[in-house]
Amino acid sequence: MGVFALGIELDGEGFHPEAWRRATHAPDRLLTGDTLRTRVATAENAGFTLATFADSILPPETLAGRIDAVTRASFVAATTSTIGLVPTVATTYAEPFHTSSQIATLDYASRGRAGWIAERINDPRAAATWGRAQVTGDELAREQSDSIEVARRLWDSWEDDAVIRDYPSGRFLDRNKLHYIDFRGASFSVKGPAIVPRPPQGQPVVFGADGDVDVRLVAADSVAAAIEFAEHARSAGTPLAFAEIDVTLDTPDATAVERLGAAPSNSPARLAFSGSAAELVDLLTHLSTHLDGVRLHPAVIDEDLPVLARQVLPALLRTGVAHRPVPGSTLRANLGLPRPAHRYAASH
């Protein structure tokens, strides 16, 4: 195994249904920019490789609405320097040209630390919101596959040196280094080229539970199943596999069970952990020999993140299980992924 990456989900207040009641900010208000900045800074200072931001076109049940995930990630990009920023943008119904532009812009704002969780949506309410017929079954996979392919082609539609900036001649682009992608799918066609130059990473890192992604997010309800699914994903050609873990930790004031009861997770498809920081360190150390990383979902961010930052991450860094992201490096580099070659440059 190479790099063992540590990711954390920082959307909302945490996965527990009552997390909003335990938040340190006013529970009847949307998450403020200062709170978001503080949480991401805490995760970065602790040594997390990346932070993710969940999203949906449908508002959370406890809120009237929220700012989209790409905007939240972009908001903290300028105040961070090493942590990867990975928003969720659905591939179902969304326009892939816009998605590719958003993620490319985030990659510039973060100086090469952007990722994208490409998520399918199987919900009739989302279809109604978009004003489209519901996409189900094999069509979900096809639309995701097409969206990821279009985004990658658009990121490659500018060669790396297409921008000239020759002020004396007034030439700023070499038009011969911009390429039409000429994609035609069942739901949409895109000619291109992109409206944003090729991102710093060449292609931002694509995460997902399904499809042709760079990092497979493995949902499994046991350690053995997570390891098995990860091995299957890598044997099928996915470069990296991360385990999804719901985390409820003992705090200085109460045990995990005392805090939130015996049920540690609201997602039966994710590995559930409830216990002490030392026990979580042992679990992650074991997983590090079988997987490429994990994404932790805290039960209550304002209570579990401090324990992760003060007790879990330092122990993993001290033993060499995990390593801090290298300042000035891209998310791809910190994950051990190479920068993709430009697909159109050879034909020029």
Side-chain angles (χ1 to χ4, degrees):
M1 299 295 294
V3 175
F4 186 68
L6 299 172
I8 184 168
E9 171 58 45
L10 292 180
D11 178 63
E13 308 300 344
F15 76 76
H16 197 278
E18 299 299 313
W20 64 276
R21 296 181 184 275
R22 307 177 72 95
T24 57
H25 63 89
D28 60 340
R29 297 180 59 192
L30 291 171
L31 186 66
T32 65
D34 288 341
T35 301
L36 180 62
R37 260 197 304 252
T38 298
R39 290 176 178 176
V40 176
T42 299
E44 179 173 67
N45 292 337
F48 276 98
T49 313
L50 58 96
T52 65
F53 307 87
D55 206 354
S56 171
I57 192 171
L58 303 171
E61 294 180 1
T62 57
L63 296 173
R66 64 178 169 187
I67 299 171
D68 70 272
V70 177
T71 300
R72 279 177 278 145
S74 300
F75 176 75
V76 298
T79 59
T80 55
S81 59
T82 60
I83 193 168
L85 303 172
V86 187
T88 296
V89 184
T91 57
T92 315
Y93 312 119
E95 175 58 62
F97 190 94
H98 297 160
T99 299
S100 71
S101 300
Q102 288 180 299
I103 302 300
T105 302
L106 174 62
D107 206 39
Y108 275 102
S110 62
R111 299 175 299 282
R113 292 179 285 120
W116 168 32
I117 299 177
E119 184 178 77
R120 303 176 187 177
I121 301 179
N122 188 9
D123 190 325
R125 297 174 300 166
T129 301
W130 282 100
R132 284 185 54 185
Q134 185 180 3
V135 177
T136 59
D138 292 342
E139 291 301 299
L140 282 169
R142 179 195 52 72
E143 193 152 315
Q144 182 193 49
S145 176
D146 287 354
S147 294
I148 293 174
E149 176 63 18
V150 165
R152 285 175 169 156
R153 290 193 193 188
L154 286 168
W155 293 331
D156 278 353
S157 64
W158 292 53
E159 294 186 31
D160 289 317
D161 56 351
V163 179
I164 300 172
R165 294 192 178 93
D166 185 353
Y167 293 96
S169 67
R171 295 177 66 240
F172 295 91
L173 293 176
D174 183 344
R175 66 180 183 181
N176 293 318
K177 295 186 177 183
L178 271 63
H179 303 272
Y180 294 112
I181 70 169
D182 293 323
F183 178 89
R184 288 188 175 276
S187 300
F188 49 78
S189 60
V190 179
K191 191 170 183 64
I195 58 174
V196 180
R198 196 172 194 230
Q201 295 183 95
Q203 293 183 12
V205 184
V206 182
F207 296 71
D210 312 277
D212 180 19
V213 297
D214 302 307
V215 181
R216 172 80 73 240
L217 299 175
V218 175
D221 59 2
S222 71
V223 172
I227 293 172
E228 179 185 352
F229 293 164
E231 291 174 349
H232 177 73
R234 285 196 294 260
S235 66
T238 303
L240 303 177
F242 284 22
E244 297 269 54
I245 309 178
D246 283 347
V247 173
T248 310
L249 287 163
D250 297 346
T251 67
D253 299 323
T255 67
V257 173
E258 290 170 343
R259 288 172 55 212
L260 297 169
S265 173
N266 70 340
S267 175
R270 287 203 294 253
L271 186 62
F273 173 86
S274 179
S276 69
E279 291 171 325
L280 180 58
V281 170
D282 289 343
L283 172 62
L284 297 179
T285 300
H286 174 62
L287 290 174
S288 71
T289 63
H290 299 280
L291 291 105
D292 304 291
V294 294
R295 179 167 67 145
L296 306 180
H297 299 256
V300 181
I301 293 175
D302 286 344
E303 295 178 351
D304 293 296
L305 178 56
V307 180
L308 291 167
R310 295 168 187 167
Q311 300 181 43
V312 176
L313 271 290
L316 295 171
L317 295 171
R318 191 164 50 245
T319 59
V321 170
H323 301 276
R324 288 184 177 276
V326 178
S329 294
T330 65
L331 177 58
R332 276 189 168 273
N334 285 320
L335 292 176
L337 294 170
R339 190 176 193 272
H342 190 287
R343 72 182 68 198
Y344 300 113
S347 64
H348 170 57

